[in-house]
Amino acid sequence: MTALWLRIKTLFRRRKLERDLDDELQFHLAALEEKLTEQGMAAEEARYAAQREFGNTTRAKELNRDLWTLPFLETLWQDIQFTLRQLRRNPGFTAAAAVTLALGIGANTAIFSVVNGVLIHPLPFKDSGRLVVIGQRVSYSAANEFSTPDFVAWKQQTFMPIAATTQESFNVGEGNGTEHVPARAVSANFFSLLGVKPIIGRTFLTQEDRPNGGRVVILSYGLWQRDFNGDRGVPGKVLELSGEPFTVIGVLPRNFRNGLEFAAQLWIPLESDPTFTATRNSNDVHWLGVIGRLRKGVAIASARAAMAALAGGLGKEYPQTDVRLGVDVRPLADYIVGPIRPALLMLFAAVGLVLLIACANVANLLLARAATRAKEMAVRIAVGAGRARLVRQLLTESVLLACVGGGFGLIFAFWSLGVLRRLNPGDIPHLKEISIDPAVLVFAAALCVLTGILFGAAPACQASEADLYESLKESRRGSLSSSGRHELSDLLVVSEVALAVLLLIAAGLMVRSFRALETAPLGFNPHRLLVMRLTPSQAERAPAATPASYKRVLAKVRLLPGIGSAAIARDVPLAGGGNPASPFAIAGRPVVSPKESPIARSRWISPDYFRTMGIPVLKGRAFTEEDNSKAPGVVIINGEMARRFWPHRNPIGEQIKPALGARGWCKIVGIVGDVRKYGPEFPIYPTMYYSYLQVPSADIPLIEGSMMLVIRSSLPAKVLMGPVRRTVATIDSGTPVYNVRTMDELVSASMSRPRFDSTLFGIFGLLALVMAVAGIYAVISYSVTRRTHEIGIRMALGAQKGAVLRLVVSHGMILASIGMAAGVVAALGLTRLLSTLLFGVKPTDPVTFIGVSLILAGVAAFASYIPARRAANVDPMVALRHE
C-alpha cells in the first residue's frame, strides 16, 4: 500500500510539473514571437523561429530536469527507510560498526577542533595576516630580541611600522596584602599597530612613551573584572605599582590575551618604565620583542630581503655591537603556534590513520554481511534493478551507518576535548576556549559522508556484481560469496595491519623519547627542592639596599626548622626567564673583532647556591660570603665554557672581563658541572656565575626583579610556605612571595609537551592495535564459519586437530606478516617526519621496530588461535551436516 501511494503521489506531482512547464513554455514562446515580429519577420516565420529557438533555452532544460528530480528524491527516501529497517534488524552489526566509527570519527573531530582553533583560525587582530615578528638573530640568545638602541635605529630606518614590548611585573598593594602582578611595557604605537581598541578609555599617546612622560596604565579585562568589579568609571583612578602612582586610562578587550598569549594584567608605556633605568639603553642587553605590520602588497620574502639589507647597513654603522646580528621576519601566527605546529599535524595524521583502520574494519563487516545478502541482491537484479541502483542503495546504507557512528562520535569528541584540556602541556594557545564550533560540525558531517563512501564503496561494488544464476541456484551449504570478496577482505586486513604497525612504531618512538627525557641528567638534583620568587618593595629596591635585603632574607630562612640549605639566584633552571648573554674578554689574548669575540651567558647567585641545587664543583671552589663588594671580582664557569675557550688547559686563575653584571676583570676560581637551563632537549651554553654581592650598583636593576629563593628541605612544600612568607614579611612586609613550586613540579612541567605527545600517540597506537586484532579475528572467524563443511571433510578423512589448527592460524599469520612487512617499510620512510619531536632515539630505532613487530605478531597469533581452536574442536558429523 505504501508503494502504491508513493506511485500515485509521484504521478500527480509529475502531471502538475508538466502543466507548469506548458504554461511557462507558452509564456516565453509568445514573448519571443512578439519580439521577432517587431523585427520585421512575418508572423508564420516568427512563430516557426520562436519554436525552434525556444526549444533549446536554458529554462526549458531546467524544467525538464525538474521532472527527474522528484523521483530521485522519492527513491532516496525509500533507500533511507529501508536502511533504517535493516539496521534495526541487525543490532549486533549496527552496534559494532557504530562504535568502531564513533571512535575514529570522534577522535578525528576532537583533534581537528584543536587544529582548527590553533592553526586555522586567524588571530583576533585587524588584518592579522600582515602582522610579523622581527627578531635579531643573536648567536648567544634563543630569544632573538632587540636592544633599545637597535630598536630605535630600526624604527627610524625600516620601511614598515614596528612596535616593541617586554615583560615586566609590579608589586600592587601595601603591607601583607601586597600582590605581584605580571605586566608588559610596550611602545606607544603597539595597540594601534595591532588594530586593538580598548573597550573603555584609550591607549597610549606618543608623549607618554618617554622618560618621565607620565605614569599611565591600561588594565587587562580580567584584572578590571576582578579588582574593579567591571566599573566603567575606572579611567582616572590611580594604582600604586611598586610604589609609583600610575593613572588608569583604559581597559583591553576580553579576547586580547587569546591572540598573543601574554599573561600580563597591566600595560605601561615602554619609555616611562621605572625599571631598567640603568641598563635598558645598553647595546649588550637584548630585551625587546618587536612586532611589525607589512604594508599592503608587500610579500614576506621581500620584507626579509629588505630587513637583511638594513641589518647589514647597521652592522657597518655600529661595528662594535651590531656586526654579529642578523635578522629574521616571520608571520605573527607562525611565531605563536610555530613550535607546536609539527606536533599537532603529526597527531592529526595519526588520528587519521586510526580512522582508516576503522574504515577497513567496517568494510570487512560489510563484506561479511554482503555474503548473507547475496540472494537478496540476486532477487533485486531478477526483478529489474540495475547495478547502479544497487550500488546507490548500498552506499546509502554505508553513509547512514557512518552518520550514526558520527553522532556517537560527537559525544566522544566532547569527552575527548575535556581529556585534552586536562592533559594540556601549557603551550597550546587558548586550549581551554576551544570547543566544537560550527566549522568543526561541518568537518564532522563531511567526514561522516566521506567515511561512509570510503568503507562502503568496495563492498557495494562487490555485492552489485552478484552472479544471478549462481546465487539463485546455490545450495544452502554452498559458498556464500565469491573468491573476489575473500581476496578483498584479506587485502583490507593486510592494510589495517600495515597502518597499525606504522602507528604503533610512531607511538613507540614517542614513548621511548619521553622515557629518554625523563632519565636524562639535568646537571642538578631536583628532589626536595623548593623554588619561589621574591620582588622587594620599592623601599628595598635601591641599588645599595637590594643585596643587603636578600642577604637578610637568606640569614633568617636558614634558621627555620627543617631547612637544609638555602640560596638566592637570578633565574633557576626550568623556572622560566632567560640568562643575559654578552661578549667578554680573556686576559692575555689579543682583542679580536666584535664579530669574533667570545660570548657566554651570565647568572648571579649567592654563596651555597651550588650545594643547595646539587650542582657539583668540578675544580676550584664555590663562592663564599667573603666574595662581596669589597673583595676582588671572582667568577665561576661551567664545564662547557671551560672546554670551549680553554680546551687544552686549566682555566682556574685566568681572568675575564664581562660586558655587564661584574666589576672589571674577574678571576676564575672554580668550574662547576653543566646544567640544562631549559630542559634535557636544549643545548648547554657557556655560562659564567657571579656573586650577587659583587654586582655593580648600575646593574642592580638587571637582577632585582628576577631573583629566586631556592630551599632544600625534607619538609613538604605546604609546611614550609607559611614560615617562609612570615620570615620574609618580618624583613619587608611589602615583599611578596609568589610562584612557589617544587623543583619536581618544574621538571614535570618541562616534560608536559613530550608527555602530551607520547600519551596521545600511545592512545592512538593502542586503538589501532585493538582494531587490527579485531579485524584479524573477524576475518579468520568468518573464514572458519565459511569453511566448516570443508573442515569436517578434512577431519573425516583423518586430519588431526593440530593440522586444522595450523591451517587456520597460518592464514591469519600470513595476512599479519604481509601487513607487518608493509608497515615496517612505510615506517622506515615516514617516521623521519617525527625526528624534530624525538630525543635520544633515532627515527629508525631498531628496538622499537623489532618490539612492535613482535607484539603485533603475538596478538595476531592469539587473534587467529581463538577461531582456529573452535575449528579444531568441530565434530566431523556436525560439520558435514553444516548449512
Side-chain angles (χ1 to χ4, degrees), residues 132-134 143-148 151 155 162-168 182-191 193-194 204 209 252 256 260-264 266-271 273 276 285-292 332 335:
V132 295
V133 173
I134 306 168
N144 292 343
E145 295 176 327
F146 277 69
S147 65
T148 302
F151 170 69
K155 189 175 182 180
I162 62 175
T165 176
T166 189
Q167 185 175 348
E168 185 53 90
R184 300 291 297 190
V186 299
S187 55
N189 65 332
F190 181 79
F191 296 108
L193 185 141
L194 293 176
F204 303 127
D209 188 20
L252 293 175
F256 177 68
L260 289 177
E261 287 304 303
F262 289 151
L266 299 169
W267 301 76
I268 65 170
L270 182 67
E271 290 292 325
D273 186 353
F276 291 99
V285 178
H286 291 259
W287 61 297
L288 297 177
V290 176
I291 297 175
L332 178 61
Y335 174 80

Side-chain angles (χ1 to χ4, degrees), residues 535-557:
T535 300
S537 66
Q538 189 67 17
E540 297 288 329
R541 293 178 78 170
T546 300
S549 173
Y550 288 134
K551 189 174 181 177
R552 289 196 300 272
V553 168
L554 276 179
K556 288 202 171 186
V557 166

Side-chain angles (χ1 to χ4, degrees), residues 353-417:
L353 293 181
V354 172
L355 182 59
L356 289 178
I357 296 173
C359 288
N361 256 344
V362 177
N364 256 329
L365 288 175
L366 289 176
L367 283 172
R369 187 164 175 264
T372 65
R373 300 177 65 185
K375 287 187 178 181
E376 175 195 335
M377 295 298 109
V379 171
R380 285 173 174 268
I381 294 173
V383 297
R387 184 182 180 189
R389 180 69 183 83
L390 292 179
V391 170
R392 190 175 70 185
Q393 166 66 43
L394 294 173
L395 283 180
T396 301
E397 294 182 17
S398 301
V399 172
L400 193 59
L401 183 61
C403 291
V404 173
F408 289 106
L410 279 178
I411 299 174
F412 179 68
F414 275 107
W415 177 82
S416 299
L417 270 181

